[in-house]
Amino acid sequence: MSIRIVNIVGTRPNMMKIAPIMEKMAKDEAFQPLLVHTGQHYDENMSEVFFRQLGIPEPDYNLEVGSGSHTYQTAHVMLALEPLLEELKPDCVLVVGDVNSTLAGALVAAKMLIPVAHVEAGLRSFDRTMPEEINRTLTDHISDFLFTTEESGNENLLREGVPQEKIFLVGDVMIDTLLRHRDKARALNALERFGLEPNGYALLTLHRPSNVDEGDVLSGIVDALVQVQEMLPVVFPVHPRTKKRLEEFGLWAKLSHLSRMVLTEPLGYLEFLGLMQDARVVLTDSGGIQEETTILRVPCLTLRYNTERPVTISQGTNKLVGNRSEDIVRAVREVLEGEVRASTPPEFWDGKAAERIVRILKERL
Ligand code: UD1
């Protein structure tokens, strides 16, 4: 009898994580992998493009929950998933990352006594105002297999009382995907499309509520960008949440009039990776990008005051700069004037994380 696993994705960053896992499971006859998309992200450029570019099979089920408050999203995933799991009777539910869909999926499975595997377990920002911190902490404590990306994850889980035998340091599946697609991304030549020179531009992403939901904070970041684009061109693929806020706070016009600010829709995985590899500096509040720049050895300035991924600072190229205008500008200047910091790939960020996860599940389920 094959091991039936329901894999759950909901948002853009979930897709790079699920891709190598689905692929490894599909190649092994011991598994019957199924894919459920919660529909938390649904736009072509927030969802479908990733399925195509990363070769993820069409989801077997789409719960179509769409946007809404955290409670709305979480509750709707739960309500739609319960009858599905009742019908499918999987041997395990696998969730990735820290989004609302992750917690919702884990919670339904745990209540039905279905073993839960959490990929990217143990990360902690110690900031409970981040919705992701709630999601990841709760998901970890109802999971049976906790697959961690870095040593700090193991330490956090042990400190919180999670038994050692549930914790597996396997590395980073997002890096599996990155290593696999690096050359393909370069071949797309996204730089040309935006008229950029290798090493001659900054790449920016921004979407955390703490940066974009308050007018004065967002306005301070925009002030910083006015100065940064005087130093070098800035490419900014704008997340839908951020676009909405920029318009609401009357900042969109200001940004779009800047001569060296390149505003675009959210990009596909390959286009974005292509831009990231050749950037002089990346400014971001994303979690995954801190990891990707560490492997690409591109300086990363994180517009937050904490990170749940400390190895990207201790071994990588990442630096926390917060969201105050003058701090951002100073940090960019320092990068442009300084040497690129050396970085050592963290343990198991070697393209084989999915292989380890699948092997462990096969042995134990
Ligand atoms: C979610 C995750 C966040 C992750 C991010 C990656 C949670 C709590 N947050 O944040 O951890 O880093 O995804 O992008 O799960 N929207 C669209 N089209 C879409 C999806 C969203 O227009 O396909 C707009 C909607 O107006 C929506 C807003 O973006 O209200 C926010 O979407 P939501 O899924 O609530 O959170 P994200 O900010 O994307």
Side-chain angles (χ1 to χ4, degrees):
M1 260 213 352
S2 56
I3 306 166
R4 180 178 279 190
I5 307 225
V6 167
N7 297 282
I8 296 181
V9 291
T11 68
R12 180 169 69 173
N14 290 167
M15 291 156 200
M16 309 59 156
K17 294 170 195 167
I18 214 72
I21 298 174
M22 283 296 288
E23 193 196 312
K24 290 281 174 273
M25 284 183 186
K27 279 192 185 143
D28 190 328
E29 280 175 4
F31 287 95
Q32 189 199 356
L34 295 166
L35 186 60
V36 174
H37 191 333
T38 66
Q40 180 174 345
H41 284 175
Y42 44 86
D43 283 351
E44 149 71 26
N45 58 18
M46 295 298 283
S47 175
E48 269 136 82
V49 65
F50 297 92
F51 278 79
R52 268 200 318 278
Q53 293 190 343
L54 301 177
I56 308 170
E58 280 285 303
D60 298 283
Y61 303 91
N62 193 321
L63 310 181
E64 295 182 353
V65 297
S67 300
S69 70
H70 293 279
T71 298
Y72 175 96
Q73 277 181 337
T74 312
H76 278 253
V77 173
M78 290 183 71
L79 287 170
L81 190 61
E82 185 182 45
L84 189 60
L85 294 184
E86 246 155 33
E87 181 195 322
L88 296 173
K89 301 196 175 18
D91 301 296
C92 176
V93 168
L94 182 144
V95 295
V96 297
D98 54 19
V99 302
N100 290 340
S101 300
T102 309
L103 173 61
L107 195 46
V108 174
K111 294 271 184 179
M112 296 173 76
L113 307 181
I114 300 167
V116 178
H118 183 206
V119 174
E120 201 186 270
L123 297 179
R124 295 290 181 270
S125 66
F126 305 103
D127 174 1
R128 288 271 169 108
T129 66
M130 286 178 79
E132 294 81 5
E133 184 74 355
I134 311 270
N135 291 341
R136 52 172 94 94
T137 308
L138 296 180
T139 301
D140 283 340
H141 284 266
I142 49 176
S143 291
D144 303 280
F145 297 92
L146 294 105
F147 294 114
T148 56
T149 53
E150 58 169 271
E151 193 53 48
S152 77
N154 289 48
E155 288 159 16
N156 293 331
L157 293 171
L158 290 171
R159 197 185 44 251
E160 291 172 14
V162 176
Q164 172 83 63
E165 58 271 20
K166 289 187 177 182
I167 308 170
F168 306 90
L169 179 60
V170 293
D172 193 338
V173 284
M174 217 175 198
I175 301 304
D176 291 10
T177 299
L178 179 145
L179 295 175
R180 215 134 158 229
H181 290 86
R182 240 178 132 156
D183 294 341
K184 235 188 273 173
R186 178 151 278 137
L188 264 188
N189 224 342
L191 274 73
E192 210 163 84
R193 169 171 154 202
F194 295 106
L196 302 163
E197 294 294 328
N199 251 322
Y201 59 93
L203 178 62
L204 165 74
T205 81
L206 208 59
H207 76 283
R208 295 252 162 253
S210 55
N211 281 333
V212 307
D213 283 0
E214 277 167 50
D216 51 345
V217 174
L218 190 55
S219 169
I221 295 176
V222 169
D223 286 342
L225 295 175
V226 172
Q227 297 177 61
V228 172
Q229 58 93 46
E230 283 164 8
M231 297 186 239
L232 79 177
V234 179
V235 190
F236 182 14
V238 189
H239 186 286
R241 165 196 282 279
T242 310
K243 172 105 192 267
K244 215 159 42 180
R245 297 299 189 211
L246 284 165
E247 285 170 346
E248 230 172 86
F249 301 134
L251 296 164
W252 181 256
K254 182 171 177 182
L255 263 192
S256 53
H257 285 117
L258 295 173
S259 62
R260 300 221 287 175
M261 188 85 208
V262 185
L263 298 174
T264 85
E265 294 279 301
L267 298 172
Y269 181 75
L270 295 174
E271 290 81 2
F272 190 79
L273 176 55
L275 288 179
M276 196 161 43
Q277 332 196 31
D278 279 326
R280 180 71 184 82
V281 57
V282 171
L283 294 98
T284 190
D285 58 9
S286 147
I289 291 173
Q290 298 171 48
E291 299 179 342
E292 292 167 334
T293 47
T294 277
I295 292 299
L296 296 171
R297 299 194 164 87
V298 172
C300 178
L301 301 176
T302 296
L303 308 193
R304 291 172 46 189
Y305 291 96
N306 53 53
T307 179
E308 58 288 332
R309 293 159 160 92
V311 78
T312 61
I313 296 178
S314 59
Q315 279 181 240
T317 54
N318 188 21
K319 189 176 173 193
L320 296 177
V321 302
N323 58 18
R324 275 188 295 268
S325 192
E326 59 278 15
D327 295 336
I328 298 170
V329 175
R330 190 183 324 112
V332 173
R333 194 169 297 123
E334 278 168 14
V335 169
L336 297 186
E337 286 166 359
E339 303 275 306
V340 173
R341 280 169 56 197
S343 71
T344 333
E347 196 182 8
F348 301 141
W349 292 22
D350 57 358
K352 295 182 182 151
E355 205 175 298
R356 295 186 188 99
I357 290 169
V358 170
R359 193 185 329 122
I360 292 165
L361 291 175
K362 189 172 169 178
E363 281 164 12
R364 303 186 183 233
L365 280 170

